[in-house]
Amino acid sequence: MEDNQEKLLEEIAKDVRSNAELVEDMVNKENDALRNDQVSFYKDGILKETSAYLEGELKDVRMYAATKSSHDKLETKKKLLELRGNFVKELKNDVTEELKKFAKSDAYKDYLLTNLKKIENKDNGYFVVRENDMQLMQELCQKVGMKQEIRKGYFAIGGFKFVDEASRYEYSCTLDEKREEQFAWFRNNSGFKVVESEDE
């Protein structure tokens, strides 16, 4: 009887161990599944957060690069405009000096005389010249047979204007105007401009 009880107890113990192993195995599997789910959930969350963070950083880097590029282009244009301004100013000063020298030469007299001959009206109107040229203009007018009044005007360099108000006719060969016309031509035709290139 004691043998039977021991056997029975042994069988019960085996059965309990077997059930305990099954329960332990099930609990371990459920635990692993929960752990994997949690790890997967957190991993996905971290990946999304990292991706959003990296996208934000990349956007900031792109914006900085665009701003820096734009700033650099602006600085380059500013320097080019400054160089162009200085160049044109220097050129204008040089041309003005050359014209002032020209206004004191014999070639200047020829210039005035050539332009006097272009005026068709020999009777009406008046001339406007700078004070330095009044005497010279009188001599040249006598030479071509013109008797119009000669008035004093202000021209920085020289030349003259002829005005016939009755005929609404005006002729100008002032060196100031000629200089400005040439600089206008230079600005429009020299290609010396700062422009946005098409590949930017």
Side-chain angles (χ1 to χ4, degrees), residues 46-60:
I46 287 170
L47 284 173
K48 283 178 186 173
E49 261 184 54
T50 304
S51 177
Y53 174 76
L54 289 174
E55 188 60 39
E57 287 295 309
L58 192 57
K59 189 176 178 182
D60 288 348

Side-chain angles (χ1 to χ4, degrees), residues 12-199:
I12 291 171
K14 271 186 190 180
D15 196 35
V16 167
R17 272 195 300 271
S18 176
N19 283 334
E21 284 174 7
L22 281 172
V23 169
E24 187 180 356
D25 194 40
M26 280 175 54
V27 167
N28 284 338
K29 283 181 182 176
E30 281 184 26
N31 193 23
D32 287 345
L34 282 170
R35 185 180 297 122
N36 288 339
D37 284 350
Q38 284 296 315
V39 167
S40 180
F41 174 77
Y42 283 118
K43 188 177 177 184
D44 288 348
I46 287 170
L47 284 173
K48 283 178 186 173
E49 261 184 54
T50 304
S51 177
Y53 174 76
L54 289 174
E55 188 60 39
E57 287 295 309
L58 192 57
K59 189 176 178 182
D60 288 348
V61 168
R62 283 186 191 130
M63 189 177 289
Y64 172 77
T67 304
K68 178 91 169 76
S69 174
S70 180
H71 182 265
D72 289 349
K73 285 178 193 172
L74 192 63
E75 281 299 310
T76 301
K77 282 182 190 176
K78 187 177 170 186
K79 286 176 184 172
L80 285 172
L81 286 169
E82 192 175 313
L83 282 172
R84 182 182 76 169
N86 289 340
F87 175 72
V88 170
K89 186 177 177 184
E90 191 177 320
L91 188 62
K92 201 169 187 176
N93 289 341
D94 290 348
V95 168
T96 301
E97 286 307 309
E98 288 299 314
L99 286 172
K100 284 180 179 176
K101 286 179 190 173
F102 170 73
K104 294 175 184 174
S105 70
D106 289 336
Y108 178 61
K109 293 175 189 174
D110 294 337
Y111 171 77
L112 293 177
L113 189 58
T114 301
N115 280 283
L116 264 176
K117 290 176 181 177
K118 291 180 182 177
I119 297 170
E120 295 174 10
N121 186 341
K122 306 281 184 186
D123 301 318
N124 300 320
Y126 58 90
F127 290 97
V128 181
V129 298
R130 62 186 183 147
E131 189 172 5
N132 297 4
D133 290 336
M134 289 188 79
Q135 174 84 34
L136 175 62
M137 195 65 177
Q138 283 174 350
E139 292 170 15
L140 294 173
C141 281
Q142 284 174 0
K143 196 172 190 176
V144 295
M146 297 181 88
K147 297 180 180 178
Q148 284 92 339
E149 178 188 358
I150 298 171
R151 298 180 184 177
K152 181 173 70 173
Y154 176 76
F155 307 126
I157 307 169
F160 69 82
K161 276 187 183 179
F162 175 75
V163 180
D164 182 353
E165 293 171 355
S167 302
R168 294 184 178 180
Y169 174 78
E170 185 174 308
Y171 178 84
S172 175
C173 67
T174 66
L175 296 176
D176 304 67
E177 283 182 13
K178 296 297 178 192
R179 179 191 62 181
E180 291 309 314
E181 284 171 14
Q182 291 305 309
F183 271 102
W185 180 91
F186 174 76
R187 280 191 296 272
N188 295 328
N189 299 288
S190 67
F192 194 57
K193 296 174 184 174
V194 178
V195 294
E196 192 83 29
S197 71
E198 292 179 10
D199 60 349

